[in-house]
Amino acid sequence: MAAKALKKGKRFDIRADRERCKACYICIQNCPKEVFEKEEGFNAKGYQPVRVARAESCIGCRSCTIVCPDVVFELYEIQEPA
């Protein structure tokens, strides 16, 4: 709960590198906001990668970046203009 309070009002840009993804889906299982889902197609290695389906729901908890064994994700805080 403390993490939510600290990040309230902040927005995040989450990106997934579909070619690095090996379809373990640990990110889908660990994302508290269900930001990810399986893609329809396959990547060059024949895996069905994840895609960012609900980027606006991302709270910046970094669960995906922590649990992903293939370093698929990049997460950035969107800086609001002053």
Side-chain angles (χ1 to χ4, degrees):
M1 286 295 228
K4 280 188 180 179
L6 289 174
K7 300 188 185 293
K8 186 177 180 181
K10 293 185 178 182
R11 296 183 322 136
F12 298 90
D13 179 20
I14 181 74
R15 299 177 189 179
D17 183 342
R18 70 183 312 276
E19 294 306 321
R20 293 186 70 109
C21 184
K22 292 183 183 165
C24 68
Y25 307 128
I26 297 172
C27 55
I28 292 175
Q29 297 165 1
N30 284 277
C31 181
K33 293 297 185 175
E34 300 179 349
V35 170
F36 310 105
E37 62 185 33
K38 296 176 186 178
E39 259 194 30
E40 295 289 322
F42 297 90
N43 62 19
K45 295 177 185 172
Y47 297 108
Q48 186 179 14
V50 296
R51 70 180 190 90
V52 178
R54 290 168 285 285
E56 68 282 352
S57 297
C58 180
I59 58 171
C61 69
R62 299 198 180 280
S63 290
C64 56
T65 62
I66 293 167
V67 301
C68 181
D70 298 305
V71 195
V72 168
F73 302 100
E74 291 181 30
L75 179 66
Y76 304 98
E77 182 179 337
I78 298 171
Q79 299 293 323
E80 300 295 331

